[in-house]
Amino acid sequence: MSNVEIDMLSYEKAGWEQSYRRIAGVDEVGRGCLFGDVVAAAVILPEGLIIDGVDDSKKLTVKKRDTLYEIIMEQAVAVCVGHVESAVIDEINIKQASRLAMKKAVEGLGEIADYLLVDAEKVDLPLPQQAIIKGDANSQSIAAASIIAKVTRDRLCEGLWEELYPDYGIKIHKGYATKLHREQILALGPTPMHRRSFIGKILAEQQTLF
């Protein structure tokens, strides 16, 4: 075993040593987007399993993420994805919406988690948990959750959401505030899936142009 592998399981091992058997990694994706749901995943992996290559989803190529997604789905004890849509994000703010998506993901697991490892957040459930800064780079369980959440959201951007709103370039920028995306919002106006609380500034800037 290399040091990297040992590091990626250090938090899990501490949990196993305390007799926790269903440790769920939890992470979300889409927090900074102007469009679409914030998506969280919760993943319970078998005790002692090492999946080569699992890392922070942002560091991986699309191909590598897709491959790992299949492996995680196959090997995991339980996986669940939680979504919170843009209207709710506008209502309760993105931080609360991210936490709600995480809560939904944990509650929806086929096995009840007895311990949570969370990427820099607290899940609003009465379960023992640990928030880990840069968790997706330091815990295999959180990294696995980040991969499931990212692939799930990217596939929505490339599939359903692109089909619903083909003129905004969703499949290209995945809902983030790229130049193309901002230009299309200004040209066409926001869709029902745009986060009004995020694009107010862009639309206000437009007003000053005239």
Side-chain angles (χ1 to χ4, degrees):
M1 282 174 71
S2 73
N3 292 333
V4 175
E5 286 165 351
I6 292 166
D7 284 345
M8 288 301 273
L9 281 179
S10 62
Y11 291 101
E12 285 82 347
K13 282 175 181 160
W16 295 326
E17 280 164 16
Q18 295 173 63
S19 315
Y20 294 117
R21 287 295 162 261
R22 294 181 304 279
I23 298 175
V26 190
D27 199 5
E28 54 71 35
V29 69
R31 190 182 276 233
C33 296
L34 305 179
F35 173 98
D37 303 355
V38 62
V39 176
V43 177
I44 301 174
L45 294 172
E47 189 173 333
L49 175 74
I50 292 166
I51 303 175
D52 280 337
V54 166
D55 200 347
D56 171 3
S57 64
K58 296 182 287 296
K59 295 181 189 166
L60 303 170
T61 63
V62 173
K63 192 170 177 226
K64 185 71 178 159
R65 273 202 301 267
D66 284 340
T67 305
L68 287 167
Y69 176 91
E70 298 307 329
I71 294 169
I72 294 161
M73 292 302 277
E74 212 170 85
Q75 304 269 341
V77 174
V79 176
C80 185
V81 175
H83 296 253
V84 174
E85 59 192 32
S86 47
V88 179
I89 294 169
D90 287 340
E91 204 177 298
I92 64 174
N93 81 44
I94 187 61
K95 183 173 173 65
Q96 296 309 320
S98 298
R99 291 173 73 161
L100 179 57
M102 287 178 168
K103 184 183 179 183
K104 285 182 171 187
V106 175
E107 286 180 324
L109 284 167
E111 296 270 335
I112 296 169
D114 57 10
Y115 191 72
L116 307 180
L117 295 173
V118 191
D119 188 37
E121 259 303 353
K122 179 168 178 3
V123 179
D124 187 21
L125 287 168
L127 287 168
Q129 55 189 281
Q130 186 174 4
I132 302 166
I133 303 296
K134 293 198 164 53
D136 47 14
N138 291 297
S139 154
Q140 179 178 257
S141 304
I142 296 175
S146 84
I147 290 165
I148 298 297
K150 175 95 176 114
V151 171
T152 300
R153 194 177 189 284
D154 283 358
R155 287 178 181 176
L156 282 167
C157 290
E158 289 155 14
L160 179 64
W161 295 349
E162 173 69 22
E163 285 164 29
L164 283 171
Y165 305 107
D167 301 326
Y168 290 81
I170 303 299
K171 72 176 175 193
I172 301 164
H173 52 64
K174 309 292 189 288
Y176 286 92
T178 61
K179 184 167 184 285
L180 166 70
H181 193 187
R182 294 196 310 268
E183 284 170 357
Q184 293 309 91
I185 293 168
L186 290 176
L188 305 167
T191 71
M193 283 187 69
H194 276 97
R195 302 175 185 176
R196 304 289 163 143
S197 51
F198 281 47
I199 60 173
K201 192 161 170 254
I202 292 168
L203 297 174
E205 280 166 12
Q206 182 195 28
Q207 303 304 315
T208 61
L209 300 176
F210 303 103

